[in-house]
Amino acid sequence: MQTEVKEKPRYAIVASVQLPEVSDVEFEASLTELSELAKTLGFQVVQTFVQKRNSFDRTAYMGVGKLEEISMYVKRGIRADELEDEPQDMDASAVEIDAVLVDHEISPSQMRNLELAVGCEVMDRTMVILEIFHRNARSRAARAQVEIARLGYMAPRLREAAKLAGPQGRQRSGMGGRGSGESHTELDRRKVRDRIAELQREIIAMELERKTQRARRLERQGMGLGGVSLVGYTNAGKSTLMRALTGSEVLVANKLFATLDTTVRVLYPESVPRVLVSDTVGFIKNLPHGLVASFKSTLEEALDASLLLHAIDASDPGFLRQLEVTDEVLKEIGADELPRIRVFNKIDHVGDEAAQAAWTAELQQRYPGCVVMSALRPDDVSSLRAAIVSFFQQDLVEDELLLPWSAQQLRGEIYSHCQVLEEHADEEGSRFRVRGEPEKLRSLREQLNPGSQGREKEYWEV
């Protein structure tokens, strides 16, 4: 029996500059999001330092006064009463700050100067997200894409790392290198370029494999399979929805980017047509451009779907911002014109029953046709499932079919690919009233009556 090893807690402070064009609501939402990202990475945020400026300081992101304030806090250490889980008999100087998290992407020189000023590691928003993606990537494709993004991020920072290493770390002998006096930085950059090129070749090969798999999936859709993609902001409850709709065991965690790889499962109970549900990577504001590009192949799973389920956290005051982020990313990958059902999830987190009813009514008035629900309520899940099935059944047609007693082995085919509305027997065989896709019905007619198109009316009435 395996026992879970509890990781040693790590502590961080958040630092951010509010520019004039950023509203207080948007600024607070961004800080909250960074704290959630820090939690996913294993940090406990113990303090936040903010500064209002007309622009970022070019040298060290924040002004001198605020840097001194942060430096003093870091040197002082954390008091026990500042922690969520207060350790017993903790000395005031026993716990140190592990990192300062900056709520913007900053330049290599700004990061180096900021580290020197505050006296501990500095991670900007992009580095935090990249590290989360690096830890959570599971498939070969996801790992390769994340590594490319990380290498692209690190390449311009090698020069600053060399500066910190000092004169002895900057130069190496020409022996074994490209030429006399080639620097560590040049060698490292060359290695980075070579590695990125190697990974890109691997991704191209994997792309071909994915296209083949996608073609097979689309072919299956043409044979009576519908496709649904769950999209939305990270932590909107997509994985919980996925598990509720498909009855499958998928990872559910209250963390940002808990899942990165696309998961595909069959809608349960199975319907006619059979529906495949796929979960995609969550969106987030200010996702690093390198990751948007590298994860396009993952997000493009949405393009294969006939229907998008756009999951939104109904309990989040900043849901409008989440809507905008998702809409922007879907537009980037060309999925904005696909049919979509907006699913406002987590309504059970909105106060008491009266508050939930009032918010549900307001959301339904604002977004006609939306579904307001909790993925933890079976009745709500059933209603959403019914809406999905209804979407895929809108193009089905009804027919009557006679299955002769001599062809009863085809009974399973009928039940697998059609919705049987009625069945009765007579002396000729079993008669069915069914609903199904026209193409599949034609295929069944051919199996029932091979080589004799003229006798179809003996078995079918349109």
Side-chain angles (χ1 to χ4, degrees):
M1 181 178 175
Q2 290 184 342
T3 56
E4 185 178 348
V5 178
K6 191 173 182 180
E7 291 185 9
K8 181 184 175 183
R10 297 195 297 159
Y11 304 100
I13 58 178
V14 166
S16 185
V17 171
Q18 182 177 5
L19 301 176
E21 62 270 20
V22 179
S23 69
D24 290 344
V25 173
E26 188 177 358
F27 184 68
E28 286 298 325
S30 188
L31 288 176
T32 301
E33 189 172 87
L34 182 60
S35 294
E36 287 298 313
L37 289 167
K39 176 183 171 185
T40 301
L41 205 53
F43 285 109
Q44 179 182 325
V45 175
V46 293
Q47 187 60 271
T48 301
F49 292 88
V50 300
Q51 185 177 39
K52 293 188 176 183
R53 292 175 58 95
N54 291 326
S55 62
F56 303 138
D57 182 83
R58 291 185 179 182
T59 304
Y61 176 66
M62 304 185 95
V64 175
K66 186 60 66 175
L67 291 178
E68 288 179 359
E69 186 181 343
I70 296 173
S71 177
M72 288 175 64
Y73 187 90
V74 170
K75 289 175 182 175
R76 186 202 75 184
I78 310 169
R79 295 194 303 264
D81 59 3
E82 294 176 311
L83 300 177
E84 291 177 1
D85 301 317
E86 184 177 324
Q88 295 181 349
D89 303 323
M90 193 191 87
D91 184 9
S93 61
V95 178
E96 297 179 350
I97 301 290
D98 294 287
V100 174
L101 310 180
V102 177
D103 194 26
H104 291 92
E105 182 172 342
I106 58 178
S107 70
S109 61
Q110 284 176 319
M111 183 176 291
R112 181 175 68 92
N113 292 330
L114 191 52
E115 285 184 347
L116 291 172
V118 302
C120 72
E121 180 187 6
V122 172
M123 300 176 69
D124 65 6
R125 186 186 183 90
T126 301
M127 183 185 285
V128 169
I129 295 173
L130 285 170
E131 185 60 28
I132 292 170
F133 272 55
H134 173 65
R135 291 186 184 186
N136 292 358
R138 295 289 178 266
S139 69
R140 271 179 60 224
R143 285 198 297 266
Q145 289 160 344
V146 171
E147 189 176 348
I148 285 178
R150 291 180 87 211
L151 289 171
Y153 173 83
M154 291 305 301
R157 287 159 174 78
L158 294 173
R159 187 183 298 275
E160 296 303 322
K163 287 180 183 177
L164 287 174
Q168 292 181 348
R170 298 181 197 170
Q171 200 79 11
R172 66 163 52 182
S173 163
M175 295 196 55
R178 183 177 54 187
S180 177
E182 182 178 31
S183 70
H184 277 294
T185 306
E186 289 169 342
L187 275 174
D188 290 342
R189 284 171 132 173
R190 185 150 53 89
K191 288 177 183 175
V192 166
R193 286 195 300 270
D194 291 345
R195 179 59 179 156
I196 288 176
E198 180 186 349
L199 289 167
Q200 286 172 336
R201 286 192 295 271
E202 289 180 15
I203 286 175
I204 289 170
M206 287 185 276
E207 269 295 327
L208 293 173
E209 186 179 335
R210 273 199 299 270
K211 283 179 181 176
T212 302
Q213 293 171 347
R214 194 173 294 147
R216 288 175 185 160
R217 191 159 60 245
L218 291 173
E219 184 181 343
R220 289 198 300 270
Q221 287 183 25
M223 296 169 60
L225 279 177
V228 174
S229 271
L230 272 164
V231 298
Y233 213 74
T234 184
N235 214 28
K238 293 190 291 91
S239 294
T240 306
L241 272 172
M242 178 79 170
R243 187 169 66 174
L245 287 170
T246 63
S248 60
E249 290 299 320
V250 295
L251 176 64
V252 178
N254 186 28
K255 292 181 178 181
L256 302 189
F257 300 117
T259 52
L260 295 180
D261 299 306
T262 301
T263 307
V264 182
R265 297 287 186 273
V266 178
L267 184 69
Y268 181 82
E270 288 193 20
S271 60
V272 175
R274 209 159 162 249
V275 177
L276 295 179
V277 185
S278 62
D279 186 11
T280 59
V281 64
F283 306 142
I284 189 170
K285 191 174 178 64
N286 297 328
L287 187 66
H289 291 295
L291 282 176
V292 170
S294 64
F295 268 83
K296 253 184 180 176
S297 58
T298 305
L299 298 177
E300 280 174 354
E301 292 285 345
L303 290 173
D304 298 335
S306 304
L307 175 68
L308 299 182
L309 294 185
H310 179 179
I312 306 144
D313 185 350
S315 66
D316 192 326
F319 80 92
L320 276 174
R321 176 170 155 272
Q322 298 181 4
L323 270 172
E324 290 171 4
V325 171
T326 306
D327 288 344
E328 285 172 12
V329 178
L330 289 175
K331 190 173 182 180
E332 279 185 35
I333 64 171
D336 55 321
E337 295 182 3
L338 289 172
R340 190 186 320 184
I341 297 176
R342 284 195 171 98
V343 181
F344 286 92
N345 191 25
K346 300 188 180 182
I347 190 64
D348 53 324
H349 292 189
V350 181
D352 56 18
E353 288 187 12
Q356 291 178 32
W359 188 226
T360 297
E362 184 174 339
L363 287 171
Q364 288 174 337
Q365 184 178 6
R366 279 201 224 176
Y367 305 97
C370 74
V371 174
V372 185
M373 64 174 290
S374 165
L376 302 178
R377 296 174 182 168
D379 289 346
D380 289 359
V381 176
S382 296
S383 297
L384 176 60
R385 182 190 176 279
I388 295 169
V389 173
S390 175
F391 173 85
F392 285 101
Q393 289 186 346
Q394 61 188 345
D395 295 326
L396 302 186
V397 297
E398 285 191 20
D399 273 324
E400 289 187 4
L401 167 66
L402 170 64
L403 179 64
W405 294 118
S406 61
Q408 290 297 306
Q409 71 273 13
L410 293 175
R411 175 180 290 271
E413 285 283 306
I414 295 171
Y415 273 91
S416 294
H417 299 288
C418 302
Q419 183 181 12
V420 177
L421 304 174
E422 187 180 341
E423 178 187 356
H424 66 273
D426 59 25
E427 67 274 5
E428 294 182 79
S430 301
R431 292 188 181 273
F432 295 87
R433 187 163 65 87
V434 298
R435 182 185 290 128
E437 293 184 339
E439 193 65 39
K440 190 60 194 176
L441 292 176
R442 276 194 292 274
S443 173
L444 279 170
R445 283 201 298 270
E446 290 173 6
Q447 291 181 69
L448 279 170
N449 199 15
S452 181
Q453 296 297 325
R455 296 180 56 203
E456 281 185 3
K457 290 185 179 178
E458 290 184 24
Y459 304 130
W460 290 85
E461 278 183 18
V462 178

